[in-house]
Amino acid sequence: MMRLFANLFVDLGNVTRTSEKTALLANYFQQAPPEDAIWVIALFSGRRPKRIVNSTLLGEWCRELTTLPLWLFEESYHTVGDLAETIALLLPDSGESHSSLPLHQYIDALRQLESSTPEEKKHYIQSAWSELNRTEKLVFNKLITGGFRIGVSQQLMVQALAEIIPLEPSQVAHQISGKWDPATTTFQQLFDPGAIKTDVSKPYPFFLAYAVEDDPSGLGEPDEWQAEWKWDGIRGQLVKREGKAFVWSRGEELMTEKFPEYSLMLEKLPDGTVLDGEILPAKDGRPLPFALLQTRIGRKNVTRKQLEAVPVAFFAYDLLEWQGRDIRELQLEERRALLEQVVTAVSSPQLLLSPVVSFDNWEALAGLRGQSREAFAEGFMIKRKRSSYQSGRRRGDWWKWKIDPLHIDAVMIYAQKGHGRRSNLYTDYTFAVRDGDKLVAFAKAYSGLTDREIAQVDAFVKQNALEKFGPVRTVKPELVFEIAFEGIAASGRHKSGVALRFPRISRWRQDKKPDEINTLEDLHELLQRYGKT
Amino acid sequence: MELIRMTDAGLYCVPGGFHIDPWKPVHKAVITHAHSDHARAGSEHYCCHVHTRPLLQARLGATSIETLQWNQPVTINGVTMTLFPAGHIIGSSQVRLEHGGDTWVVSGDFKTVDDGISGAFEPVRCQHFITESTFGLPIYQWAPPETIFEDMRHWIRQNQENGFNAVILAYSLGKAQRVIRAIGEDFGKIYAHGAVANMQDLLINAGWQFPPVVYINPLEPPPSIKGAVILAPPSAESSNWLKKFQPYKLAVCSGWMQVRGNQRRRNADRGFVLSDHADWEGLLTVTRATEAAHVYVTHGFQSVFARYLNEQGIHAMELETAFGKEEES
């Protein structure tokens, strides 16, 4: 029933421990009709139904029922930070549900409305609102707006499913990965191991690493470990089966069309091969800054000009399927040997081996790590030579050892309220460096402050707001923060002339005054050193 | 503003020569209710509702306190002052002033739902209405308290079944009493943090009827309790005191829990949308009922609520005050 799913959604938001979340999910999957369960797996893994109504219309239909002016609706939205929730809170609520329909019937109804007129959509959505209680309205709205981000990782869902179906977690993970449509797949079919044969595109769940604590010397004997550069690209899998090739991103997005330059290489890849590696811009076998790739990744169609300016290669570091066989249980050393054979045989400038970096001891590796930025890497991956290829993020066999970020001291000039956990607080800030007597914005950052600090900054913003631009406040340039970031690249789209990679607040410099912050020149110096292409 | 003027000490009745909820020490302070952002120490003379008196004595150490009943007019320097129930907490009152044909009402904090403890809110007609706006956004619509307490009982029961204590965070003056009344001894004795226990003692000494609570001393070893209800103020949230009750689940009672994000930010296991303030509809209904020609909107969503009132044809403006800093004990 819709209520069952709404309760699951609320309960998941109320618990923090993984074990509790797993238990809630497993319990849900046990109770829910299979037609609902399949959709929940889909929704929680980002496979949402096609969006049939935009935010503007949805807001309009809500305002029609509440007779609230647009500005008040928007003010409410900025405080809540989530459209689905805002609407659920604004609509009148009797406190009771008059709905006995299961989740999938709502989804089916929404899907059937895809080609209906706005008037028909409105009629259906408003009548659904009137029969659902507040939490049911919230999840119903989320079915339309998409995005069930409630801390349910793929791994967590796999654990929960493995508790109620007779498959190993690794098998479950494999079954729910890749390209499947919850509208045409039954729960039974999804977990039928024979079905993989019919879905030639299916990737394997990615094996992810945790960061090493401090330094890797605690990992033991260096010769049990293999080091590779940690690339700053898009983690991906190349899948080749039955003459068909697929490029998957770690987010399980099928990206085959985005990289037309791969087509010749993929053609040469033998059937029954799955490679794990990094999608990276590269020239003459050497990687280029990731920022270059970002300029073309968002485009629907890649132009010839972009293909020439930013050629993309695949830096392979693992082999998961070989000659049609799942070889994830083999040791890394053995897989690497086979990988090298495969890459050599294909012999394409688009398929490169991600090199193994040799080192005698951890101190030597630490020294090499200092050169990461010059190599357009963000540190090292350290993998146990005897490790199997596991699924999800796990401790023990694979570690990432990232370089320390770059830093700039900057002053906050704009603030905006956050979303979700941080709604109603000013948590999203824009920072500026000095350029003569002017301030130039160069980065936005959200994270990195403690809740207590956020509350202090929030109070400052509320007292020192100068102007209002919609949800954005300009504030007195007074608070200084140290901004950390992973990389820097030239950008024509930004006033400052630079684009930063992963900027965040590393600390609040309450000891510094705004006239002590870094300058635009300092930024451009960093660009010269680390951002050259 | 004529009868009431804004000064650096707060709202000041010029002909009456007294302040209302001043945030600096003054000669004479009329106090709407005993929360710390409205009742501050250091003034020479205080005037408040009779139920507020023991609270001011205990919290401010005030000695010169004149008390009034609701609906009992008094004249101060030619200004007629009457207190009316505000329904916010014990003793909370609206202050009505009349002088030379002018009538003003200062709402203090108020709620329109009768909690059975604080007295039922009474709308008071006036020409000038100074209102709070803590929850002055239409996303704040409260469910009936019975529904919330039903959820609370269900949550406690669930925790009992799973072997967890249920820690409930609620302001020691206001929501704590509501929770104690509603839960009673359904789940055995209620254990309490010092702030809550002291407040209960104070109120019981003042003649109020409440089920007793068990004070848990922070310096003593943890009691061996399981599946119990523990009541603490929000400030206890990250204290060592709470660790005594492990394993426990934590709930926060607050109107802010209406938005899921706030609940997650508090890291609470559960949020109960229980407030001692009026919700959006409550604010609107009360403001309309005063029939005031001029509305002054203080602490909360001032700009939003004032703008909306103006669009509804009610002349309103924002009024900056030092109220609304959360009561912490």
Side-chain angles (χ1 to χ4, degrees):
Chain A
M1 308 306 103
M2 191 65 156
R3 182 174 315 170
L4 201 59
F5 178 60
N7 289 346
L8 172 70
F9 181 75
V10 171
D11 291 345
L12 283 172
N14 282 339
V15 299
T16 41
R17 254 182 260 147
T18 315
S19 58
E20 291 173 308
K21 288 190 183 181
T22 314
L24 284 171
L25 268 177
N27 185 37
Y28 173 82
F29 285 129
Q30 216 142 31
Q31 288 182 45
E35 298 89 340
D36 280 10
I38 187 95
W39 271 107
V40 172
I41 297 169
L43 292 169
F44 286 177
S45 59
R47 292 170 178 82
R48 56 176 160 134
K50 198 167 167 197
R51 185 159 185 164
I52 59 155
V53 187
N54 63 32
S55 308
T56 315
L57 277 178
L58 211 55
E60 245 170 59
W61 300 341
C62 167
R63 282 191 288 119
E64 192 182 290
L65 296 174
T66 55
T67 64
L68 292 173
L70 177 62
W71 68 267
L72 189 50
F73 180 87
E74 286 177 344
E75 199 73 49
S76 301
Y77 170 69
H78 291 313
T79 295
V80 177
D82 178 275
L83 183 70
E85 188 179 355
T86 308
I87 292 176
L89 290 175
L90 289 176
L91 288 168
D93 182 47
S94 67
E96 274 167 48
S97 168
H98 304 284
S99 158
S100 55
L101 297 179
L103 168 70
H104 74 272
Q105 292 204 13
Y106 285 97
I107 295 174
D108 287 344
L110 288 171
R111 288 178 49 243
Q112 278 161 22
L113 283 170
E114 197 188 318
S115 47
S116 305
T117 63
E119 214 37 52
E120 289 167 321
K121 290 176 183 172
K122 177 172 114 176
H123 177 78
Y124 172 74
I125 288 172
Q126 288 188 336
S127 67
W129 282 339
S130 71
E131 64 184 30
L132 297 171
N133 72 17
R134 197 173 271 168
T135 32
E136 291 168 347
K137 279 192 202 70
L138 169 62
V139 294
F140 173 76
N141 292 345
K142 285 216 167 267
L143 293 176
I144 302 171
T145 61
F148 281 90
R149 277 179 302 161
I150 44 168
V152 172
S153 64
Q154 189 92 346
Q155 204 169 351
L156 205 150
M157 191 152 61
V158 166
Q159 285 298 337
L161 285 164
E163 278 180 28
I164 61 151
I165 50 179
L167 290 177
E168 287 299 307
S170 64
Q171 187 64 32
V172 171
H174 192 26
Q175 300 292 133
I176 65 170
S177 64
K179 190 172 70 168
W180 55 273
D181 183 354
T184 54
T185 312
T186 65
F187 192 80
Q188 189 108 50
Q189 284 164 350
L190 184 64
F191 294 104
D192 173 8
I196 297 208
K197 301 257 179 320
T198 53
D199 179 6
V200 295
S201 77
K202 220 174 228 335
Y204 291 95
F206 285 87
F207 185 13
L208 307 172
Y210 276 101
V212 290
E213 281 133 27
D214 305 325
D215 70 89
S217 55
L219 296 180
E221 289 302 313
D223 62 2
E224 288 178 13
W225 297 86
Q226 167 176 315
E228 302 159 18
W229 292 113
K230 182 182 184 323
W231 301 117
D232 182 17
I234 301 171
R235 178 89 181 267
Q237 272 180 42
L238 302 184
V239 176
K240 177 75 179 282
R241 292 185 190 115
E242 296 179 18
K244 294 197 181 100
F246 307 88
V247 181
W248 289 97
S249 77
R250 202 194 104 191
E252 293 216 349
E253 191 189 346
L254 198 51
M255 304 184 91
T256 322
E257 312 295 316
K258 301 231 184 234
F259 306 107
E261 59 264 72
Y262 282 3
S263 60
L264 205 65
M265 171 263 282
L266 290 168
E267 218 167 276
K268 290 205 254 171
L269 210 59
D271 270 339
T273 306
V274 177
L275 298 168
D276 182 15
E278 201 91 358
I279 299 163
L280 268 181
K283 228 168 203 165
D284 308 324
R286 289 175 49 84
L288 299 172
F290 180 69
L292 293 175
L293 183 55
Q294 276 177 319
T295 57
R296 68 172 246 196
I297 208 74
R299 311 284 171 97
K300 222 168 199 159
N301 297 305
V302 186
T303 63
R304 173 177 289 274
K305 209 173 132 199
Q306 285 173 320
L307 281 178
E308 279 165 10
V310 191
V312 172
F314 189 83
F315 285 71
Y317 36 69
D318 218 321
L319 184 65
L320 314 185
E321 187 173 309
W322 179 67
Q323 298 185 340
R325 240 178 75 212
D326 175 355
I327 59 162
R328 290 177 295 162
E329 283 307 314
L330 294 185
Q331 298 185 356
L332 173 62
E333 268 181 315
E334 302 167 280
R335 297 199 309 274
R336 176 84 195 184
L338 293 172
L339 171 72
E340 290 179 7
Q341 283 179 26
V342 170
V343 171
T344 313
V346 169
S347 169
S348 155
Q350 271 72 48
L351 181 60
L352 304 165
L353 268 175
S354 181
V356 168
V357 179
S358 60
F359 64 103
D360 293 330
N361 50 54
W362 296 118
E363 292 75 32
L365 192 65
L368 290 168
R369 178 165 158 270
Q371 300 165 21
S372 300
R373 244 176 217 118
E374 283 79 0
F376 295 112
E378 48 179 8
F380 283 120
M381 289 299 303
I382 304 172
K383 301 174 178 173
R384 197 186 293 276
K385 288 178 181 169
R386 287 172 45 203
S387 62
S388 62
Y389 190 94
Q390 295 147 51
S391 66
R393 199 176 297 282
R394 276 163 207 286
R395 289 180 192 283
D397 288 338
W398 280 25
W399 299 94
K400 54 186 178 189
W401 191 26
K402 288 173 69 161
I403 42 174
D404 299 325
L406 298 165
H407 291 108
I408 279 281
D409 287 335
V411 68
M412 176 174 78
I413 55 169
Y414 309 129
Q416 190 171 350
K417 282 180 183 169
H419 286 119
R421 206 172 83 90
R422 295 163 149 200
S423 69
N424 201 27
L425 280 178
Y426 286 100
T427 58
D428 301 2
Y429 316 127
T430 302
F431 299 95
V433 285
R434 261 185 322 115
D435 181 23
D437 51 6
K438 283 185 312 220
L439 290 171
V440 181
F442 73 103
K444 273 182 92 163
Y446 313 90
S447 60
L449 291 180
T450 64
D451 283 356
R452 182 177 289 270
E453 287 173 327
I454 288 174
Q456 285 175 295
V457 176
D458 175 70
F460 174 86
V461 172
K462 283 171 182 160
Q463 280 156 25
N464 292 281
L466 303 173
E467 293 164 292
K468 229 173 163 175
F469 295 103
V472 179
R473 301 284 176 276
T474 61
V475 292
K476 216 155 102 190
E478 206 171 285
L479 303 189
V480 177
F481 295 89
E482 182 181 272
I483 308 302
F485 48 99
E486 299 302 322
I488 183 166
S491 162
R493 288 205 322 231
H494 297 82
K495 223 193 220 167
S496 60
V498 299
L500 305 186
R501 184 127 169 89
F502 293 135
R504 72 252 177 207
I505 301 167
S506 53
R507 60 193 167 129
W508 186 355
R509 297 297 305 259
Q510 281 167 303
D511 55 320
K512 282 207 168 182
K513 294 200 178 64
D515 55 4
E516 294 172 84
I517 60 172
N518 283 107
T519 61
L520 190 60
E521 213 182 315
D522 297 335
L523 261 186
H524 284 160
E525 216 165 274
L526 287 177
L527 178 66
Q528 289 300 313
R529 265 173 69 197
Y530 302 117
K532 278 246 198 89
T533 56
Chain B
M1 276 207 187
E2 308 91 42
L3 188 53
I4 292 183
R5 202 196 302 159
M6 182 58 90
T7 68
D8 62 350
L11 298 171
Y12 181 60
C13 174
V14 186
F18 57 85
H19 288 79
I20 300 171
D21 292 351
W23 43 85
K24 285 184 178 172
V26 297
H27 173 66
K28 181 166 187 174
V30 174
I31 300 297
T32 60
H33 65 287
H35 276 155
S36 57
D37 57 332
H38 291 260
R40 295 174 203 244
S43 291
E44 265 172 80
H45 307 286
Y46 289 89
C47 177
C48 60
H49 184 261
V50 62
H51 290 159
T52 304
R53 181 192 184 96
L55 299 167
L56 291 196
Q57 281 172 332
R59 293 191 138 190
L60 312 183
T63 48
S64 169
I65 305 174
E66 181 191 338
T67 58
L68 292 175
Q69 299 284 354
W70 288 317
N71 290 297
Q72 178 201 342
V74 289
T75 308
I76 309 169
N77 299 328
V79 178
T80 307
M81 178 170 85
T82 320
L83 300 185
F84 292 90
H88 176 58
I89 58 166
I90 283 177
S92 67
S93 306
Q94 309 173 69
V95 180
R96 178 182 182 272
L97 303 177
E98 188 177 350
H99 182 259
D102 250 6
T103 49
W104 289 66
V105 169
V106 179
S107 78
D109 289 343
F110 67 92
K111 74 170 172 290
T112 48
V113 173
D114 182 2
D115 62 17
I117 301 171
S118 314
F121 180 90
E122 244 176 72
V124 184
R125 279 172 52 185
C126 57
Q127 291 151 2
H128 301 264
F129 183 51
I130 301 179
T131 180
E132 64 136 320
S133 64
T134 311
F135 292 106
L137 257 194
I139 53 168
Y140 299 109
Q141 311 174 48
W142 307 150
E146 308 84 73
T147 314
I148 300 162
F149 287 123
E150 200 37 62
D151 286 351
M152 195 180 283
R153 278 191 211 98
H154 178 73
W155 179 75
I156 297 169
R157 213 169 297 129
Q158 236 179 358
N159 287 329
Q160 278 191 329
E161 281 162 19
N162 298 326
F164 289 103
N165 288 316
V167 176
I168 299 173
L169 299 183
Y171 290 144
S172 54
L173 173 54
K175 266 173 275 187
Q177 286 77 48
R178 293 177 71 187
V179 172
I180 290 168
R181 260 291 154 85
I183 302 298
E185 292 178 290
D186 298 1
F187 301 94
K189 292 233 178 303
I190 294 180
Y191 293 82
H193 181 272
V196 174
N198 287 341
M199 183 55 69
Q200 284 314 101
D201 285 349
L202 196 156
L203 292 172
I204 289 167
N205 281 335
W208 292 86
Q209 299 282 320
F210 283 109
V213 294
V214 183
Y215 166 55
I216 301 294
N217 188 328
L219 302 174
E220 282 168 14
S224 60
I225 51 172
K226 215 177 175 188
V229 178
I230 295 127
L231 207 53
S235 57
E237 184 170 347
S238 48
S239 70
N240 280 327
W241 184 81
L242 267 191
K243 295 201 182 111
K244 286 176 180 278
F245 305 105
Q246 260 153 356
Y248 65 84
K249 294 281 171 181
L250 183 76
V252 175
C253 300
S254 164
W256 302 112
M257 296 298 110
Q258 179 84 329
V259 176
R260 282 162 34 84
N262 284 335
Q263 193 178 324
R264 275 179 287 159
R265 192 170 60 237
R266 288 296 288 271
N267 260 328
D269 300 303
R270 189 61 195 264
F272 293 108
V273 189
L274 184 71
S275 179
D276 277 332
H277 292 271
D279 64 2
W280 170 257
E281 274 308 316
L283 289 169
L284 278 177
T285 313
V286 166
T287 307
R288 289 198 184 107
T290 63
E291 295 176 24
H294 304 278
V295 177
Y296 310 91
V297 185
T298 70
H299 59 302
F301 288 91
Q302 296 106 290
S303 64
V304 172
F305 192 52
R307 177 172 174 189
Y308 186 75
L309 289 178
N310 280 311
E311 287 184 5
Q312 301 297 305
I314 299 172
H315 177 255
M317 58 195 272
E318 295 177 47
L319 187 62
E320 206 57 53
T321 64
F323 306 136
K325 307 275 180 296
E326 281 201 1
E327 162 97 1
E328 261 307 318
S329 55

